[in-house]
Amino acid sequence: MSEIVAAIERIRETIGQAQINSPFAANTVKLVAVTKTVEVARINEAIGAGIEVVGENRVQEVLEKHGLIEGEVEWHLIGHLQTNKVKYIIDKVSLIHSLDRISLAAEINKRAQQAGLRMPVLVQVNVAKEDTKFGLMPEDVISFIKDMEQYPNLHVRGLMTIAPYVENAEEVRPVFKQLRELRDKVNSLNLPYVDMKFLSMGMTNDFEVAIEEGANIVRIGSAIFGKRAPK
Ligand SMILES: *Cc1c(COP(=O)(O)O)cnc(C)c1O
């Protein structure tokens, strides 16, 4: 068995264990294989091992790899998105995880309308309020989501966060819990134009804890493909 196949198998086991361990865990957890810097042959190997969703954080990499991937796979844009690049990916990705400002919402809405589609998006929240991270402050999320009513070609499907990097993932459990509670709060508003299905949280270092706190999308790169070369 290849390393990639074995790694995916181990991850699926860990996901299953986390689902059993926690009352907050979702019944279904979507595994997004994060393929930034990973070459096409290795991505195809992961798809052969059952990966159904790939996540890229740069528009350029989506465009380079999009036509070269074998089999049916969904593409998610998980990284910071520049407004002037929305037009390139609007018909290539099925979920944008990184909506973090009104100007971006307006642009996604405009391009989705031109393409004749309704674009599913997650609102990125900077739960731990790190200077180095994108995302809305948690206290601004409710009013931001209410503002989404004016963008009918954009569909808010949930929330996303990137937890601070820590040695012991238990330390960031409160971050994941806070995102879940925020999701519940948005749900309780019953806004007709939102459908809060997804909580995208958890990466290589912390996905087990994230699932225990209710993640139903995890974004995993290095645990599948090995360590990336530093930038
Ligand atoms: C790179 C990246 C990941 C995956 O990180 P790993 O630690 O390699 O699992 C997840 N989410 C985002 C937004 C990323 O940029």
Side-chain angles (χ1 to χ4, degrees):
M1 198 188 321
S2 87
E3 276 180 43
I4 288 176
V5 175
I8 291 169
E9 205 161 279
R10 276 197 305 276
I11 290 163
R12 292 211 187 280
E13 260 169 47
T14 307
I15 290 174
Q17 200 54 53
Q19 285 177 293
I20 292 168
N21 286 348
S22 166
F24 299 113
N27 290 328
T28 309
V29 176
K30 209 186 258 262
L31 170 58
V32 177
V34 176
T35 51
K36 62 189 178 202
T37 78
V38 176
E39 60 272 37
V40 166
R42 303 178 72 227
I43 300 174
N44 282 333
E45 201 181 318
I47 292 167
I51 289 295
E52 293 171 341
V53 190
V54 298
E56 285 285 352
N57 67 342
R58 291 174 56 238
V59 166
Q60 189 58 38
E61 279 192 71
V62 176
L63 300 179
E64 282 167 14
K65 297 170 185 172
H66 194 263
L68 303 172
I69 295 300
E70 293 162 4
E72 279 292 302
V73 69
E74 257 183 72
W75 291 75
H76 289 187
L77 202 285
I78 62 173
H80 182 67
L81 180 55
Q82 284 173 268
T83 309
N84 63 2
K85 295 198 171 148
V86 172
K87 56 180 178 285
Y88 301 119
I89 50 107
I90 197 75
D91 60 346
K92 297 191 174 56
V93 303
S94 59
L95 184 64
I96 296 171
H97 290 227
S98 46
L99 177 61
D100 60 357
R101 58 199 190 280
I102 292 286
S103 59
L104 182 59
E107 179 66 12
I108 294 170
N109 184 67
K110 176 178 144 189
R111 298 294 175 180
Q113 189 188 9
Q114 287 170 352
L117 53 88
R118 191 173 184 207
M119 187 72 219
V121 298
L122 306 180
V123 174
Q124 183 172 353
V125 187
N126 188 355
V127 175
K129 305 190 172 182
E130 292 178 281
D131 292 336
T132 52
K133 295 224 165 85
F134 292 103
L136 290 159
M137 290 296 128
E139 61 271 23
D140 297 333
V141 169
I142 299 281
S143 87
F144 182 86
I145 288 179
K146 285 181 177 166
D147 285 345
M148 293 302 103
E149 185 173 16
Q150 54 187 314
Y151 303 119
N153 289 80
L154 179 155
H155 196 191
V156 176
R157 299 305 317 273
L159 304 176
M160 178 274 223
T161 198
I162 304 172
Y165 180 83
V166 289
E167 285 294 327
N168 176 2
E170 279 301 329
E171 288 173 37
V172 287
R173 185 181 292 277
V175 169
F176 300 133
K177 176 169 181 269
Q178 205 182 321
L179 199 71
R180 165 166 48 81
E181 290 172 349
L182 195 51
R183 188 265 322 263
D184 294 344
K185 203 165 153 190
V186 176
N187 260 338
S188 72
L189 301 173
N190 281 315
L191 302 171
Y193 51 90
V194 231
D195 177 10
M196 299 293 281
K197 182 174 180 195
F198 297 119
L199 267 187
S200 169
M201 54 187 197
M203 310 177 13
T204 291
N205 191 49
D206 55 23
F207 71 93
E208 194 170 356
V209 175
I211 291 168
E212 286 171 2
E213 292 301 326
N216 57 7
I217 300 182
V218 290
R219 311 175 307 267
I220 300 183
S222 33
I224 297 175
F225 298 107
K227 277 207 167 63
R228 289 176 295 274
K231 279 189 234 170

